[in-house]
Amino acid sequence: MPAEFSRRHLMQLACLSGVGMTTSPAWAQSPAADIGRAARFPPGFIWGTATSAYQIEGAVNEDGRGLSIWDTFSHTPGKIADHTNADRANDHYHRFKEDVGLIKALGVKAYRFSIAWPRVFPDGDGQSNPKGLDFYNRLIDELLANGIEPFATLYHWDLPQSLQDRVGGWRSSKTSQAFGTYAGYVSERLSDRVRNFFTLNEPGRFVNFGYGWAIDAPGLKLPTGELNQVRHNVVLGHGLAVQAIRAKARAGTRVGIAENIAACVPAVDTPENVRATEIATRELNAGILGVTLEGKYTDHFLEFAGKDAPKFTADELKIIGAPTDFVGVNIYAPQFYIVAKDKAPGFDVAPFPASFPHMKSEWLRIGPETAYWVPRLVAKVWKPDTIYISENGTSSEDKIAADGKVYDLDRIMFLRNYLVQLQRAVAEGAPVRGYFLWSLMDNFEWIFGFEQRFGLYRVDFETQQRIPKLSVSFYRNVIEKNAVGA
Ligand code: FCB
């Protein structure tokens, strides 16, 4: 900008403010007025953070743990960007007390972690391994002793390898049955202290990436019909787990799924586009969220699949659609910007321009409005009693500055904007009762290895030292005020 222009421009601005601002705004008059302007969350809103077993625990050969498909996959050359695996990861298995200290220092009241199925049933079914479950007993007791409520996820992608080898993993409904048995076993033993269980984490993701596109474990590229059957077995596994938890866990135990919902946003906020986005949300999530919440596949889903549609019975649909207590949605990028269309199915998906901004991870497009639209649309389409944001967060460069600190300003920008939008949805009545920030600390980010850092705490994977990033202060401040903004 030429110097001449900017001087003139500044003078104009100065004149304008001289003319227009005869009285100073509320925030300039008293500090108390600042607080009134923050975007407040309702009393009792649950602030939490999240991790998963394979990404942090390490200790893959200890206390009788069986192999998981992610052990095999990460040890296969060429699968992980930085050629690492999670054999050691954050060594959380041995350092969990220190890590609970980090959770406490954040000020959160809830912690979402996952249980490694191959620790509890090394072969996925058959003989259990009480030593494996003991780790979670120790972790849960430590959390409770520190006033942190445990939210346990039963499956965060680490399928026992033995099930993959013997029955083809989720290609067989025997895996769905085994998952139900495992869910009953765990909930029977932990529900005296764990009141909330998530069944599956991001089924949509592990089905497509693991069994359809060979990107994630177990690395298969199945044809559409078989892939649809895998997805069906997975939702059946969810239903059987819900059933088992109702049968085995203490009365009052709460259960739900945690899905990486196909996040739809109206391209332009017209009533027609909003209506089209409701239709899109229902149809683009019909294979997982829809069938679990409605107990049926939509007509459009089945017509579209045609001869590749999954095979199922009415009894299975009943199990899959068993009532749950909450819906967990993981919110990251906006996935579909929707425009209305006269012809069936009533919506179109607008293409993304190449210039659409993203965070450090290329896949993580920035769309704070996703945190508004997803809860609003889920509430409208399926009317659940309770929604949890089971994950939200971002990667960042996270370099250590000269003064030894990590100024993750982009993460703070991301969180601030997403939370303002979430607050808007809650203020309008969407029944969101809690939020779990992904993640407590940097960890093994699947195919990206340790290159993509999502933590509030930075981890040095050589020394295992954890240091708080600036976003720890940001999040603690949000939690203390139960509000975002000042
Ligand atoms: C989600 C996963 C979680 C983590 C974040 C960044 O899809 O559930 O394990 O990888 O993305």
Side-chain angles (χ1 to χ4, degrees), residues 272-331:
E272 297 75 28
N273 283 349
V274 172
R275 177 72 199 119
T277 310
E278 288 164 11
I279 298 170
T281 297
R282 181 161 181 258
E283 295 300 351
L284 297 175
N285 290 290
I288 298 204
L289 271 187
V291 71
T292 60
L293 295 170
E294 298 179 30
K296 60 172 198 264
Y297 292 111
T298 65
D299 295 342
H300 177 257
F301 176 88
L302 292 175
E303 273 160 32
F304 184 80
K307 65 170 183 21
D308 288 325
K311 318 252 172 311
F312 55 87
T313 65
D315 271 357
E316 286 175 352
L317 287 184
K318 229 171 141 195
I319 295 168
I320 294 166
T324 50
D325 304 293
F326 55 79
V327 182
V329 280
N330 294 359
I331 296 181

Side-chain angles (χ1 to χ4, degrees), residues 55 156-157 201-202 205 330 332 363 391 438 445-446 454:
Q55 292 178 276
H156 202 124
W157 308 357
N201 180 72
E202 296 197 355
R205 160 84 190 252
N330 294 359
Y332 289 97
W363 61 267
E391 285 179 27
W438 184 274
E445 181 49 29
W446 308 110
F454 275 80

